[in-house]
Amino acid sequence: MMRVRENFEPLANVHSSLLVTESVQPAPPAAASSQVVVDAEGNGTITVEVPNVDHSEVQRKMDSDDGPAKIDIARPIKLLKTPRELKLKICIILLFFLIIAATTCILVLYVEEPLHYKRGSAALYTGSREFVVHVSGANITRGLIGRNLPDMLPFSCDPFDTKNLCLEYMDIARLLIHWEEYTEMDCYTLSWEAFSHDLVHRDCYTLENIHWYGGGVAANQQWPLEKMNQSREPFISGDETSSFGPIVERYWLSSHGVGIRVSNESPLFISVNEESQQLCFESTYIDSPFPNPEKKQPKLEYTLCAAPNMRLVHEKMLDKFGKKVKTVPTEVLEQGPMWSTPNCFTGDSFNGATIVKFVNDLHKSHLAASSLEIECGYARTDGDLEFDEDRFSNISDSIATIQELGYQVALRVNPFMNIDSKAFHEALLKGFLVEDPRAEVPGLIQWKRGVAGLLDTTNHNATSWFLQRLQGLQDTTGINFFTFNNGEVSYLPVEFKTAEVLTNPCTYTQRYVELANQTQGPFFMRSVFQSQDIPVIVFTIPKAPIWGYENGLKTLIPTALTLGILGYPFIMPDLAVTGQHYNSACTESCLPDKEFLIRWLGMMAFFPAMRINVPIWEYDPGTQRIAHSLILFHQKTISHLVVSVAMETKNTGAPIIRPLWWIAPSDEIAQSIDSEFLIGNDMLVAPVLDQGETRRQVYLPEGKWKDQLHPGPSIEGGAWVEVEAMLEQVPYFTKEKE
């Protein structure tokens, strides 16, 4: 028996609990005894004597199936703990999955921003060489630059500050980006310098979801540019068969408010849509028409400017980098059409009597005219600025007769001198011809009327000599003024040398325009370059008398819109017509189709200047009547509006013939319309351009418009309307003042 002694607190403070155990009655154990002893202070002890118990017997009974029933007094506590543990486990499991999901999202969605440099609102990502420009937080253009560089990261170089970013690609090239901030416009000048002649710089800008305009004026001109496909070609002017046409300017404009102007220092090549919807700029002297006498390394330099919309960036860039016309050729714009002898008589069929007959027929037709242009075929040999005496023995009398009828007389000239001409030999002796640098001999070229040398328009003595010859021709014949043909760079020899060292061969054309500007009276040019400040009337490429986009009727509006953006507002459409109808063997098929002629005249009546080289009096009286009314409409209505808009052009540089987006820069439909145009901001013209049609759909930009063919209530803009236009009609609308 064990004796247990336990101290206890005063009884008043003792709380006890009973543990109750129900069991099968075992054999009675030995009786237990206890003794309680309490002292005077209330403290005491309890002595309990416990008898020995046979534990094996107890265990046996507990393990047996028929043993005593047991009551687990901890069960209520376990029942209380089970829901709590379950909730905890569920929370832990949910937390685990939440952590997994969050980690997965971070791994999937989070991409560390690539290494890039920022200047202003532009960023250059060095890994992909992606150049991105933002305006008001929006990505407005994206370019992939340095396309021909190997995959490598550059290192920084000087200058490197808040305005300049200099990056060098080891032993290959250097890129300098300079940022300038203007009111409402940011500009970035990108300059690539090569460390070897073998490197071809190549920067490309996307045409995807963006419209581009500008550049050159080709025969099959499109508007916007992404409608064209142009493989890589040197960006120089050429005739109507060339890639970029007789007028090129190193300026492009996009619908997202971006303008690009390429430096004259760059030997520039251009491609459009050659590589997956991209406008690409290249710079190289390899297989290039660009002179490089000092053996410089190729350089690609251009300025990219960004503003909230394209009209704003165009106006801002014009103010900063462009030229504006100094005077307006009011006399030409207010006069009647220029008529031209058909292109071109040959041989004895073209003589003084032929010219007089043409003018007499014109005069008797009562069709308005201000001048007659003798286009070609007047000289015995091209280059000699004199009439063939055998065919034009009394040319001064013939010209006087024409002038008495109220017409001025113009003569077309060009810079070619055929090798069998007297002018060629004189210019050769005096050193006035473009030379071949390989042998110090004239650089001869093949053109459509023979082998010739070219006047060196960069040689002051040569141009003075040429002007003296023109003046002498005026003095002896009474010619009033001259029109100037050719001057395109594609006619220069493959290798050439001029008095002025030309970094850009298009400067040859620019000097040709400056020569023409020194002559008396108005002057007209086929090819121009960086001559926006000179009041030149620009001939378009002669359009074929067909309806489509193959240098046909549908290319005339895109041509005019492009010329306006490039800074040449005074446009005179030209039609390609031969002189075969003076051949007795030729029938009416030699003349343009009647429907085409009327639609052509109808559109031309809304242009700044008219030129007609079709003998309209050979058509039926109804055609003559319609032609007369269209010409009169130009004189009485359109010419006054053109002069008014031209005065604005002088001050602002805005085109006379304007795209629809000029008054709605953010209108996506207006941005792509190539069959309508504005004269100023308040007249919209929508000629019929499809054969056999007398109705057409017209898009009117935002505003209220009045249909001038069908008087009625105002039409709310921002929508398409269908209009009827009979053969003698041209749909046009005027915008109501707000």
Side-chain angles (χ1 to χ4, degrees):
M1 178 179 293
M2 295 182 295
R3 177 172 291 177
V4 180
R5 180 183 178 88
E6 183 174 344
N7 295 324
F8 58 88
E9 294 296 321
L11 295 178
N13 298 326
V14 176
H15 298 274
S16 62
S17 61
L18 297 178
L19 298 178
V20 180
T21 301
E22 180 183 353
S23 63
V24 179
Q25 296 293 330
S33 62
S34 62
Q35 181 179 3
V36 179
V37 181
V38 181
D39 61 17
E41 297 178 356
N43 298 319
T45 61
I46 299 175
T47 301
V48 180
E49 292 181 353
V50 180
N52 291 326
V53 178
D54 185 354
H55 294 283
S56 60
E57 180 65 18
V58 175
Q59 185 67 42
R60 185 184 65 79
K61 290 184 177 293
M62 293 177 65
D63 292 339
S64 64
D65 293 337
D66 56 352
K70 294 177 284 185
I71 298 177
D72 186 358
I73 62 173
R75 187 180 180 192
I77 299 176
K78 291 180 179 179
L79 292 175
L80 291 173
K81 289 174 63 179
T82 299
R84 296 177 185 172
E85 291 175 351
L86 183 60
K87 290 181 180 179
L88 180 61
K89 290 178 181 179
I90 293 174
C91 289
I92 292 173
I93 292 171
L94 291 176
L95 181 61
F96 172 77
F97 281 110
L98 182 61
I99 293 172
I100 295 296
T103 304
T104 303
C105 290
I106 291 172
L107 292 175
V108 172
L109 300 178
Y110 175 75
V111 179
E112 184 178 0
E113 191 169 11
L115 177 62
H116 67 284
Y117 296 94
K118 291 192 68 175
R119 294 296 183 271
S121 297
L124 173 63
Y125 295 87
T126 56
S128 62
R129 287 194 287 275
E130 184 177 16
F131 186 64
V132 180
V133 179
H134 297 83
V135 170
S136 301
N139 178 358
I140 63 170
T141 194
R142 181 176 64 88
L144 296 175
I145 67 175
R147 298 296 305 276
N148 290 336
L149 294 176
D151 290 334
M152 61 187 303
L153 291 176
F155 58 87
S156 60
C157 49
D158 290 329
F160 194 94
D161 52 41
T162 57
K163 290 288 186 179
N164 298 283
L165 172 64
C166 181
L167 298 175
E168 190 166 309
Y169 296 82
M170 181 69 72
D171 300 327
I172 300 176
R174 178 187 295 116
L175 170 64
L176 177 63
I177 300 178
H178 176 69
W179 168 45
E180 283 290 343
E181 190 174 11
Y182 304 99
T183 303
E184 297 185 284
M185 180 176 74
D186 283 1
C187 291
Y188 307 88
T189 299
L190 286 78
S191 180
W192 284 102
E193 296 180 14
F195 295 155
S196 73
H197 290 281
D198 296 332
L199 178 62
V200 178
H201 300 297
R202 182 177 175 85
D203 288 4
C204 297
Y205 288 84
T206 183
L207 296 172
E208 190 174 356
N209 300 320
I210 187 172
H211 303 301
W212 285 89
Y213 316 89
V217 182
N220 303 334
Q221 188 65 34
Q222 298 285 314
W223 177 277
L225 278 180
E226 67 267 17
K227 295 180 181 180
M228 302 178 69
N229 291 286
Q230 176 58 58
S231 59
R232 175 185 179 272
E233 292 285 348
F235 194 63
I236 57 173
S237 59
D239 61 17
E240 60 269 19
T241 65
S242 66
S243 300
F244 302 110
I247 298 174
V248 296
E249 293 291 342
R250 297 181 166 205
Y251 173 67
W252 289 264
L253 179 68
S254 91
S255 58
H256 285 188
V258 172
I260 294 178
R261 184 178 293 274
V262 181
S263 167
N264 276 338
E265 301 295 319
S266 302
L268 183 62
F269 287 68
I270 295 292
S271 65
V272 180
N273 275 327
E274 183 180 44
E275 186 178 323
S276 64
Q277 291 186 288
Q278 290 183 335
L279 169 64
C280 293
F281 306 94
E282 288 190 13
S283 176
T284 182
Y285 288 110
I286 301 172
D287 297 327
S288 161
F290 298 93
N292 189 23
E294 299 178 6
K295 306 300 180 184
K296 295 180 179 179
Q297 307 286 16
K299 184 177 184 179
L300 176 59
E301 181 175 292
Y302 57 93
T303 298
L304 184 153
C305 296
N309 64 66
M310 59 178 157
R311 176 178 172 180
L312 182 60
V313 77
H314 177 72
E315 292 173 335
K316 293 287 184 180
M317 290 188 74
L318 180 62
D319 289 340
K320 183 64 182 177
F321 308 109
K323 301 176 181 178
K324 299 174 185 176
V325 66
K326 295 179 180 177
T327 59
V328 175
T330 306
E331 181 181 355
V332 175
L333 301 179
E334 290 181 339
Q335 292 177 346
M338 170 191 285
W339 288 74
S340 178
T341 56
N343 179 27
C344 261
F345 295 102
T346 57
D348 294 337
S349 63
F350 185 43
N351 51 46
T354 308
I355 295 177
V356 172
K357 180 182 184 308
F358 184 90
V359 173
N360 284 332
D361 290 343
L362 170 62
H363 187 69
K364 286 187 287 187
S365 71
H366 301 292
L367 294 166
S370 63
S371 59
L372 172 73
E373 179 198 30
I374 301 173
E375 187 171 342
C376 57
Y378 57 86
R380 183 185 298 274
T381 306
D382 282 286
D384 289 333
L385 295 178
E386 57 187 25
F387 283 85
D388 182 354
E389 292 182 356
D390 293 337
R391 292 182 288 124
F392 301 95
S393 56
N394 298 309
I395 187 60
S396 58
D397 293 339
S398 299
I399 290 175
T401 300
I402 295 170
Q403 290 169 337
E404 288 174 1
L405 294 175
Y407 310 127
Q408 291 187 316
V409 180
L411 193 68
R412 181 171 292 195
V413 298
N414 58 60
F416 299 120
M417 287 171 261
N418 280 15
I419 57 175
D420 56 347
S421 67
K422 293 181 290 184
F424 175 84
H425 293 283
E426 183 180 352
L428 176 62
L429 291 174
K430 294 181 176 180
F432 293 163
L433 298 174
V434 175
E435 295 182 348
D436 185 331
R438 296 168 293 185
E440 298 295 330
V441 296
L444 301 180
I445 58 97
Q446 178 75 47
W447 71 306
K448 59 185 176 183
R449 293 204 291 272
V451 178
L454 274 173
L455 177 72
D456 186 352
T457 61
T458 74
N459 184 328
H460 176 72
N461 293 330
T463 56
S464 296
W465 170 75
F466 192 81
L467 289 168
Q468 289 172 3
R469 296 171 65 228
L470 293 179
Q471 185 61 54
L473 185 59
Q474 284 184 289
D475 294 342
T476 57
T477 63
I479 291 290
N480 296 100
F481 61 93
F482 297 96
T483 62
F484 293 81
N485 201 22
N486 302 112
E488 301 94 339
V489 172
S490 62
Y491 284 114
L492 288 169
V494 175
E495 292 190 44
F496 65 90
K497 178 183 176 183
T498 53
E500 178 184 348
V501 178
L502 303 182
T503 302
N504 184 349
C506 292
T507 305
Y508 176 88
T509 305
Q510 184 179 6
R511 300 291 177 259
Y512 186 42
V513 178
E514 293 169 356
L515 178 158
N517 193 35
Q518 298 179 58
T519 59
Q520 297 179 8
F523 71 100
F524 303 75
M525 304 289 300
R526 177 80 67 198
S527 181
V528 291
F529 178 71
Q530 293 185 357
S531 306
Q532 294 88 346
D533 56 331
I534 297 175
V536 56
I537 310 295
V538 177
F539 291 122
T540 68
I541 290 175
K543 297 299 174 183
I546 59 177
W547 295 87
Y549 284 101
E550 297 297 321
N551 194 33
L553 185 66
K554 289 186 177 180
T555 65
L556 186 55
I557 293 176
T559 295
L561 296 176
T562 302
L563 284 171
I565 291 300
L566 297 181
Y568 300 104
F570 309 119
I571 305 163
M572 178 177 277
D574 197 2
L575 185 64
V577 180
T578 69
Q580 290 180 339
H581 59 272
Y582 277 95
N583 187 329
S584 58
C586 183
T587 64
E588 290 183 359
S589 61
C590 295
L591 297 173
D593 173 76
K594 169 185 174 178
E595 182 186 0
F596 177 89
L597 175 67
I598 293 175
R599 292 302 190 194
W600 170 269
L601 291 173
M603 189 190 318
M604 190 167 54
F606 288 87
F607 274 60
M610 297 183 72
R611 179 180 185 270
I612 304 174
N613 58 353
V614 178
I616 294 175
W617 50 87
E618 294 189 10
Y619 288 81
D620 62 87
T623 301
Q624 295 182 48
R625 176 185 56 78
I626 295 172
H628 176 76
S629 64
L630 291 172
I631 294 171
L632 191 64
F633 173 76
H634 172 81
Q635 285 185 279
K636 299 295 185 182
T637 303
I638 300 303
S639 63
H640 300 298
L641 175 60
V642 165
V643 170
S644 175
V645 176
M647 295 303 177
E648 176 193 344
T649 297
K650 177 183 173 183
N651 296 325
T652 66
I656 294 176
I657 302 296
R658 301 174 184 178
L660 266 60
W661 56 252
W662 192 264
I663 59 173
S666 301
D667 187 327
E668 294 184 0
I669 297 178
Q671 291 171 1
S672 60
I673 294 291
D674 69 346
S675 62
E676 306 173 27
F677 60 91
L678 300 168
I679 304 177
N681 289 341
D682 298 326
M683 180 179 286
L684 185 149
V685 185
V688 175
L689 303 176
D690 291 299
Q691 186 175 15
E693 294 293 333
T694 56
R695 305 184 71 86
R696 68 155 292 172
Q697 295 288 324
V698 178
Y699 182 73
L700 300 174
E702 184 178 352
K704 292 186 180 298
W705 299 86
K706 297 286 289 186
D707 184 345
Q708 296 300 317
L709 290 185
H710 311 96
S714 299
I715 304 172
E716 192 67 39
W720 291 90
V721 297
E722 185 177 83
V723 295
E724 183 179 30
M726 304 309 293
L727 183 57
E728 68 274 13
Q729 296 178 318
V730 179
Y732 73 103
F733 300 77
T734 54
K735 190 176 184 182
E736 293 185 351
K737 299 295 183 181
E738 296 181 359

